[in-house]
């Protein structure tokens, strides 16, 4: 089979003409059925090559080992020790920062290669411009084109495989690695990271630390980073597989999105609604196969939002937001997974979080806000208040991305009280049933809605009774009572404000 497979793989990998690349992808897909019955079976190697091509573009895949280390490291006995970022804005590095599509324009982002030189003081006190640090893989235009061509060819082939073999329910039979490899990668590193986290927490408790563990403790963070660094090549494998999940759950549903890779709009721009529904079913089938392997796979992916590597957090945020979009556009659910929502809200509200967790969860909210667009409207009431609180975070990137998300959410909030057509009414009804069937989510929604109603309309502020004896015989004028109600509202929610 080698004389047949190799030319097709080479065409997928290096052919810059889109049409020829697409034809090669289609024929390689059909050839896999024949290959799968042979011994030795070449399908696993073909899939491995496709995954490599998909994740070989540093514009879409963070490379852990190429990410720069924090500028400030302190010598601590035999191993280096990190310090928390102490300037604003600091350069995005291997541990700290949010990569979310260069929403932070004042930072150096080695992942996206959209970098602004940072200023530093020279010995004579003047400001000098430092050259941006670029990944080795993208230092010249020829290498950029090579990476783009490989990724595009891999995407075409993976998409063709899903369409052809999901339609006949043969995906697990012909190319089981498509589901098995990413699930196994998540499970492997979940066990390692989960045990690592528990061990360090127990160590802190056994060292006579307070009963309430401070997850921002530098000793804890340094131990966590040191252990993860020992497996950084493995975490790169995790990032690659998360990118695969992201692509397979979003490529068809986002076919008409202008902000997606242009290849997704070439074939499917003029497809009928029935064709688009079939592709949505293909996507749901892939998620169903993952959940069949491990029903708790989404919760395990979510755990990596507190990973020390900023590249891992970015990959998790993009993967989970893609799955949520898939849920909303699926005719079978049309709602975001309730367990995923609860985990996200718990992390947003939890005050005992370290910087890694805060940056990870804010990055997920950013991608949900960006990718779901108007579909996020029914859920705005859940997110807007936790995001508002994070705008006062100590970290520059958490504040910056939270402010960006809040600005978009607050513009859409007035639309959350109504709908515009039958489709919106149907979706609103399904989401309402989701809230009603989940007591925890419903309580959060009602509590947040009460706050927002008072914040957006001062006429809905609850009357506040002044606990002062001397005012018992005094009747406040209406505008005075409104002022007292407003100050009482600020006090109730621990907010700062002016009368």
């Amino acid at each position: 089979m080698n004389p047949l497979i190799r030319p097709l793989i080479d065409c997928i990998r290096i052919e810059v003409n889109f049409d020829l690349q697409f034809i090669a992808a289609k024929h390689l897909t059909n050839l896999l059925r024949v290959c799968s019955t042979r011994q030795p079976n070449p399908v696993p190697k073909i899939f491995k090559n496709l995954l490599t091509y998909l994740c070989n573009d540093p514009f879409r895949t963070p490379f852990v080992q190429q990410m720069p280390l924090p500028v400030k490291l302190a010598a601590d006995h035999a191993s280096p020790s990190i310090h928390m970022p102490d300037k604003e804005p600091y350069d995005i590095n291997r541990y700290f920062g949010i990569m979310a599509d260069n929403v932070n324009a004042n930072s150096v982002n080695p992942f996206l290669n959209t970098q602004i030189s940072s200023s530093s003081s020279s010995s004579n006190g003047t400001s000098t411009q430092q050259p941006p640090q670029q990944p080795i893989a993208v230092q010249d235009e020829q290498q950029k084109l090579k990476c783009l061509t490989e990724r595009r060819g891999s995407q075409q082939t993976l998409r063709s495989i899903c369409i052809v073999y999901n339609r006949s329910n043969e995906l697990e039979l012909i190319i089981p690695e498509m589901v098995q490899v990413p699930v196994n990668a998540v499970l492997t590193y979940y066990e390692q990271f989960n045990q690592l986290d528990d061990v360090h927490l127990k160590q802190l408790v056994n060292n006579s630390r307070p009963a309430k563990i401070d997850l921002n403790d530098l000793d804890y963070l340094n131990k966590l980073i040191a252990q993860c660094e020992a497996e950084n090549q493995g975490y790169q494998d995790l990032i690659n597989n998360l990118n695969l999940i992201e692509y397979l759950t979003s490529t068809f549903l986002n076919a008409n999105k202008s902000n997606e890779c242009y290849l997704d709009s070439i074939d499917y721009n003029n497809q009928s609604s029935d064709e688009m529904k079939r592709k949505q079913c293909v996507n749901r089938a892939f998620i169903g196969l993952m959940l069949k392997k491990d029903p708790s796979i989404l919760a395990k992916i979510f755990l990596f939002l507190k990973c020390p590597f900023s590249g891992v957090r970015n990959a998790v945020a993009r993967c989970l937001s893609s799955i949520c979009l898939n849920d909303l556009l699926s005719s079978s659910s049309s709602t975001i997974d309730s367990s995923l929502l609860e985990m996200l809200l718990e992390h947003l509200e939890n005050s005992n979080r370290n910087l890694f967790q805060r940056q990870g969860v804010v990055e997920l909210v950013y991608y949900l806000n960006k990718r779901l667009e108007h579909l996020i409207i029914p859920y705005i009431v859940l997110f807007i208040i936790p995001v508002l609180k994070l705008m006062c975070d100590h970290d520059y990137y958490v504040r910056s991305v939270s402010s960006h998300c809040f600005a978009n959410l607050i513009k859409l909030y007035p639309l959350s009280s109504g709908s515009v057509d039958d489709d919106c009414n149907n979706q609103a009804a399904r989401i309402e049933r989701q809230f009603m069937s989940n007591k925890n989510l419903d309580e959060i929604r009602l509590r947040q809605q009460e706050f927002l109603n008072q914040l957006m309309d001062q006429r809905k502020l609850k009357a506040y009774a002044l606990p002062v004896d001397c005012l018992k015989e005094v009747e406040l004028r209406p505008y005075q009572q409104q002022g007292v109600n407003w100050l009482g509202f600020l006090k109730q929610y621990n907010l700062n404000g002016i009368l």
Side-chain angles (χ1 to χ4, degrees), residues 84 244 342 488:
M84 300 300 284
L244 175 66
E342 289 189 80

Side-chain angles (χ1 to χ4, degrees), residues 42 44 72 157 234 239 277 308 490 498:
K72 190 173 182 181
T157 310
I239 290 174
K277 288 179 180 179
L490 296 178
I498 56 173

Side-chain angles (χ1 to χ4, degrees), residues 410-423:
I410 201 68
K411 288 187 294 186
L412 294 172
Y413 175 70
L415 301 177
S416 63
S417 60
S419 56
V420 296
D421 53 34
D422 291 339
D423 289 338

Side-chain angles (χ1 to χ4, degrees), residues 104-144:
N104 306 290
N106 295 323
S107 66
V108 174
N109 190 335
F111 161 44
L112 295 169
N113 202 34
T114 49
Q115 305 163 335
I116 298 177
S117 300
S118 58
S119 298
S120 60
S121 297
S122 62
S123 58
N124 59 8
T126 60
S127 178
T128 60
Q129 293 296 320
Q130 300 294 329
Q133 300 179 8
Q134 294 184 335
I136 296 174
V138 293
Q139 286 182 350
D140 57 80
E141 292 297 326
Q142 187 176 9
Q143 187 67 21
K144 292 180 185 179

Side-chain angles (χ1 to χ4, degrees), residues 211-224:
K212 185 177 181 180
I213 298 172
D214 181 11
L215 293 181
N216 284 296
D217 184 280
L218 278 179
D219 290 339
Y220 168 74
L221 295 180
N222 279 310
K223 290 177 182 177
L224 193 61

Side-chain angles (χ1 to χ4, degrees), residues 118-390:
S118 58
S119 298
S120 60
S121 297
S122 62
S123 58
N124 59 8
T126 60
S127 178
T128 60
Q129 293 296 320
Q130 300 294 329
Q133 300 179 8
Q134 294 184 335
I136 296 174
V138 293
Q139 286 182 350
D140 57 80
E141 292 297 326
Q142 187 176 9
Q143 187 67 21
K144 292 180 185 179
L145 178 60
K146 176 179 178 293
C147 293
L148 174 62
T149 303
E150 288 182 352
R151 177 168 61 87
R152 187 182 66 184
S154 175
Q155 287 176 332
Q156 288 284 20
T157 310
L158 291 170
R159 179 171 61 188
S160 178
I161 290 171
C162 279
I163 292 176
V164 171
Y165 294 120
N166 255 312
R167 184 164 47 196
S168 56
N169 295 321
E170 292 180 298
L171 185 63
E172 283 193 292
L173 179 64
I174 304 297
I175 182 167
E177 292 80 11
M178 185 85 79
V179 178
Q180 184 176 330
V181 169
V183 169
N184 287 348
V186 171
L187 296 180
T188 299
Y189 293 101
Y190 167 80
E191 294 297 333
Q192 292 183 10
F193 188 72
N194 199 33
Q195 292 175 3
L196 177 68
D197 211 23
D198 291 341
V199 168
H200 284 157
L201 289 175
K202 292 174 182 177
Q203 286 178 349
L204 290 181
V205 173
N206 293 335
N207 289 338
S208 300
R209 301 268 177 165
K212 185 177 181 180
I213 298 172
D214 181 11
L215 293 181
N216 284 296
D217 184 280
L218 278 179
D219 290 339
Y220 168 74
L221 295 180
N222 279 310
K223 290 177 182 177
L224 193 61
I225 286 175
Q227 292 296 323
C228 289
E229 277 291 349
E231 296 288 342
N232 62 18
Q233 186 58 46
Y235 282 100
Q236 184 62 53
D237 181 56
L238 175 65
I239 290 174
N240 293 347
N241 282 281
L242 289 173
N243 283 351
L244 175 66
I245 296 173
E246 177 200 3
Y247 179 73
L248 293 178
T249 54
S250 67
T251 180
F252 309 131
L253 297 178
N254 286 341
N256 293 323
K257 300 287 185 181
S258 60
N259 61 350
E260 292 296 317
C261 184
Y262 72 90
L263 68 94
D264 285 330
S265 62
I266 291 179
D267 291 325
Y268 301 117
N269 239 0
N270 300 317
Q271 294 290 346
S272 66
S273 58
D274 290 339
E275 183 71 8
M276 291 303 296
K277 288 179 180 179
R278 182 177 65 80
K279 298 193 196 93
Q280 292 179 21
C281 292
V282 169
N283 268 352
R284 290 307 301 170
F286 177 76
I287 294 178
L289 290 174
M290 286 201 308
L291 293 173
K292 182 180 177 181
K293 295 283 185 183
D294 186 346
S296 62
I297 189 72
L298 297 184
K300 291 172 179 175
I301 293 176
F302 193 94
L303 173 79
F304 291 104
L305 281 177
K306 60 180 181 179
C307 179
F309 295 126
S310 53
V312 173
R313 298 194 298 270
N314 177 266
V316 171
R318 289 186 288 115
C319 176
L320 290 178
S321 63
S322 174
I323 292 174
C324 288
L325 176 63
N326 189 291
D327 286 340
L328 283 174
L329 293 181
S330 167
S331 57
S332 60
S333 63
S334 298
T335 59
I336 298 177
D337 184 86
S338 295
S339 62
L340 196 59
L341 269 178
E342 289 189 80
M343 286 186 290
L344 177 56
L345 294 172
E346 180 184 356
H347 279 69
L348 282 170
E349 295 284 358
N350 183 12
S351 59
N352 187 27
R353 297 164 299 172
N354 60 40
L355 181 55
F356 301 142
Q357 292 172 285
R358 301 200 307 276
Q359 289 186 345
V361 75
V362 167
E363 191 162 12
L364 175 54
V365 173
Y366 168 83
Y367 278 108
L368 286 174
N369 185 23
K370 177 187 175 184
R371 293 184 171 180
L372 269 58
E373 298 178 340
H374 67 282
L375 296 174
I376 202 174
I377 289 175
Y379 297 97
I380 284 179
V381 67
L382 299 176
F383 295 127
I384 199 167
I385 297 175
V387 169
L388 178 63
K389 293 178 181 178
L390 287 171

